[in-house]
Amino acid sequence: MNDSSKSSRRRMLRAGASLALLAGRKVAAAEDEPRRLGTPLGPYGERSPYEKAVRWTRDSKTPETGSSFTPLQDSVGILTPSSLHYERHHGGIPDIDPGKHRLLIHGMVDRPLSFSVAEIRRLPSVSSIQFLECGGNSGAEWSAPGGADVQHSHGLLSGSEWTGVPLSLLLQEAGVRPGG
């Protein structure tokens, strides 16, 4: 075999390998491309169908009393998504109409006041990141045979961004003086 035929053969093998590599890339790229457009926007955000974390709820003898436990083992970061925040209820979930609800400040104040939710929302508010923990957290450690996982033992704990009007501002409006 002469040098020119060896060179041609090498060029053909390189060209074939390059074509195979290029074809493989095109197939991979085609598989990564969406085959159709995504879901249109809705009026309220929905959770990704690939998110599987859920709150665990303990059975209760009365439906109005119960708790749900944050899946801490699935948490990323310090904020708990609202839908995964733990809850503890002793008398059910109240149905409060914000349009009718009022906050009444009375008793040992100079000026008894009543605020609608709309009036409170017009006042200056502050936001802060806080952790909220139920006093009954970790109670499952006493009853779980062999120990409980983190959700069952400490799931009555969540981190949230809380926003609202400082109580000190409302009490000042009612005439309560600091330290007085």
Side-chain angles (χ1 to χ4, degrees), residues 38-144:
T39 305
L41 295 174
Y44 194 79
E46 296 293 329
R47 190 174 179 196
S48 167
Y50 303 104
E51 287 292 329
K52 302 298 182 196
V54 294
R55 295 185 304 184
W56 171 71
T57 56
R58 184 179 3 215
D59 290 334
S60 174
K61 293 178 183 175
T62 55
E64 298 80 20
T65 303
S67 52
S68 61
F69 293 69
T70 298
L72 297 172
Q73 71 281 359
D74 297 323
S75 295
V76 177
I78 61 173
L79 294 181
T80 305
S82 296
S83 60
L84 296 177
H85 201 286
Y86 88 86
E87 295 180 18
R88 180 67 176 112
H89 301 282
H90 295 278
I93 301 170
D95 183 12
I96 298 173
D97 179 353
K100 297 177 183 175
H101 187 71
R102 299 195 67 82
L103 173 65
L104 176 63
I105 300 175
H106 65 99
M108 296 172 45
V109 298
D110 293 342
R111 293 177 299 281
L113 297 172
S114 176
F115 295 96
S116 70
V117 172
E119 290 167 336
I120 291 173
R121 286 187 174 185
R122 286 194 290 266
L123 297 172
S125 65
V126 296
S127 293
S128 65
I129 294 173
Q130 300 291 326
F131 286 93
L132 186 64
E133 181 175 11
C134 178
N137 206 14
S138 76
E141 288 185 325
W142 297 99
S143 60

